[in-house]
Amino acid sequence: MTDDRTAGAKTDGATGESSSANDKSQQINSITCLHERFITLPLLRKRSEHNEGLVSTLEEVALHQEELQSIGPVLGRTCGKTLKILLLQNNVIKRMKPSELKHFKCLEYLNLALNNIAKIEGVRGMEFLRKLDLTLNFIPVENLEESIDELTECRSLEELFLIGNPCMGISDANGESQTDDCPPQSAGNIVGWYGCRSYVIARLSNLRFLDGKEVKRSERIAALQKFPALSEELRNLSKIRLEKQQTANPCNNLSEDENYEIDENAPTHHNPETRNKISNEMYAQKQSKERQETSHLVPQKGEKELEVEHMATVRKIREREEQNIAGRDEHKANDEIKQCNQGKWQFWFEESGTAKRGRNGDDLIMRIAVPKHLSTSLIDVDIHPTYVSVIIKSKLLRVVLPVEVISDQSAAKRIAASGHLELTMPKTNPDEVAIGMPYVRSNKPCNRSDATSERSGAETNLSNVVMSGKRRERLGYTIMQEAVTVEALQGIIPYRSIQSNATDLDEEPPSLC
């Protein structure tokens, strides 16, 4: 009884493992075979890092080992007019579709080695194609004549690689192809034709290199002499091959069962079906690895999601500001404004004149270093007479202005060159001195004429620098004194005490900044 139970458990475990393996293979085939894998725009941008991610001006792109099954329409539409070098080796592309290759008018080098191509097509319109690599594909003898007919239209073709295809002849140890005296031979599943090299050389008059070997003049003359016999032999051989394919079973070496799995220890056959199976498994492994790497990452928000979040933040902050304005005293409004810079944005003030008034410094300009490529829809500006409230990408920037401005006549714009935000605000009192002048504003407004006269007096005598009843203080202390009612800070020394200690010195007064 125990033996029967253990035997039953083993058989159940074996059947369970086989069923799970079959389920896994079915899942791989269902994932990878529903949609044909082709070149996409994100893949192009990923492989165009050498061109700063610009796809429309690409001249060279390498898309090898991407498990692609076809080229697709995206590559030709985006950079087909500028592309000169296209590397697609080590994929499972099964056909060179003319509809996908017709856009590559300037292509000079096309590498399709290690793919599943059975026929050359789609290169008829490539006038500048100089090199074509089709190493280790599956071009048979019966498709050789049509493939070479396609290549005869490429007048600039100088280098061609066909080694490893079923149509090519078997080479000896020295790399020399077989002669006419040698009959057709086979190596495994690959049956070669001894006259393939001579036939290709005779058909392509501009070819200089075939399979990496230079085409000499004597070899070309001999190939042209044998061309009539080679053409007849190729037609007869193609008929024989087609008849064998019709009578023979097309699945001699590999079953078409979807649940077929490749054993790691068993030898694999070099045919398109086996390469497709291996490619599907590799693609499934890459997808699972990519999902594991990106599972812990926070998904990036799109532009629409950022706009929705930004608008919600703007409504919340504006409602809070309106409640604060309605709840506080008008006379103490300036003292209760809380400055903040949540986004750590850099900003600065300048003065500028207007053409209507004809003066310098009539407008107060505030510039904020906003990123150049940030959408303007993520910026909201609210200008008040005494402060500015700007929300940039859901981050609040609230700053008290150094002078009172006319909010109704203010304007905001983006600078095209740098993307910075520029706020132009006319002053309520054009003669009032603001940031950038030698004297900052104190509790009592300072006129421009008074500041000019005091500036001239400072050059003659240090004792005349300080205005009667006023103190020169540092800029940071002045802004804090206007924004919030605070006591004098111990770390800031009034200028009057500095003046009393520097009466005997002939130095310039300290800087305001």
Side-chain angles (χ1 to χ4, degrees), residues 69-71 93-98 100 116-117 121:
Q69 295 177 338
S70 65
I71 298 176
I93 300 174
K94 57 185 178 181
R95 186 185 173 192
M96 301 169 62
K97 298 180 181 179
E100 299 174 351
N116 295 345
I117 295 173
E121 53 186 343

Side-chain angles (χ1 to χ4, degrees), residues 25 55-56 135 166 199 207 245 279 296-297 311 340 362 435-436 453:
S25 63
V55 179
S56 59
T135 303
Y199 178 81
L207 196 65
Q245 288 180 2
S279 176
H296 64 282
L297 299 178
M311 294 303 297
C340 63
D362 292 343
I435 291 179
S453 61

Side-chain angles (χ1 to χ4, degrees), residues 75-274:
L75 183 63
R77 293 175 182 175
T78 53
C79 56
K81 296 181 180 179
T82 60
L83 201 62
K84 294 183 180 180
I85 299 175
L86 179 57
L87 307 178
L88 293 170
Q89 65 269 25
N90 204 358
N91 288 289
V92 286
I93 300 174
K94 57 185 178 181
R95 186 185 173 192
M96 301 169 62
K97 298 180 181 179
S99 59
E100 299 174 351
L101 297 174
K102 65 180 180 180
H103 302 283
F104 303 102
K105 301 296 183 182
C106 300
L107 198 64
E108 298 179 2
Y109 175 31
L110 178 59
N111 192 335
L112 287 167
L114 287 168
N115 281 279
N116 295 345
I117 295 173
K119 183 180 177 181
I120 301 175
E121 53 186 343
V123 298
R124 188 181 298 268
M126 299 181 184
E127 301 178 359
F128 302 98
L129 185 64
R130 296 168 54 188
K131 183 178 179 180
L132 178 61
D133 193 347
L134 292 168
T135 303
L136 284 175
N137 278 274
F138 300 94
I139 302 176
V141 176
E142 52 268 22
N143 292 339
L144 180 61
E145 185 175 4
E146 296 180 5
S147 300
I148 301 302
D149 290 339
E150 187 76 15
L151 293 177
T152 53
E153 301 295 332
C154 301
R155 302 297 180 182
S156 302
L157 186 63
E158 297 179 353
E159 193 170 357
L160 178 64
F161 287 88
L162 290 175
I163 189 171
N165 285 273
C167 63
M168 293 299 294
I170 309 300
S171 300
D172 58 12
N174 298 325
E176 300 290 339
S177 60
Q178 294 174 341
T179 60
D180 297 348
D181 299 334
C182 299
Q185 298 183 10
S186 62
N189 296 327
I190 302 177
V191 179
W193 178 43
Y194 70 94
C196 183
R197 180 179 175 86
S198 300
Y199 178 81
V200 173
I201 292 173
R203 291 290 306 275
L204 304 177
S205 58
N206 296 326
L207 196 65
R208 297 178 56 188
F209 295 91
L210 179 59
D211 294 335
K213 182 183 176 182
E214 184 180 2
V215 179
K216 299 180 180 179
R217 184 179 180 184
S218 58
E219 186 179 8
R220 187 178 298 277
I221 293 173
L224 291 173
Q225 292 175 353
K226 297 183 294 184
F227 178 69
L230 292 174
S231 299
E232 186 65 24
E233 184 180 355
L234 178 61
R235 294 189 184 95
N236 295 333
L237 188 60
S238 299
K239 291 180 181 179
I240 295 173
R241 297 286 174 82
L242 290 174
E243 291 176 358
K244 287 183 179 180
Q245 288 180 2
Q246 292 177 0
T247 56
N249 185 9
C251 303
N252 287 331
N253 300 321
L254 182 65
S255 176
E256 294 293 336
D257 187 9
E258 294 293 336
N259 299 331
Y260 173 78
E261 285 190 352
I262 300 174
D263 189 4
E264 295 181 357
N265 299 324
T268 57
H269 301 280
H270 181 68
N271 49 31
E273 291 78 11
T274 304

Side-chain angles (χ1 to χ4, degrees), residues 16-28 30 259 261:
E17 291 179 357
S18 61
S19 61
S20 62
N22 293 335
D23 295 340
K24 182 180 179 181
S25 63
Q26 289 179 359
Q27 184 179 5
I28 292 174
S30 62
N259 299 331
E261 285 190 352

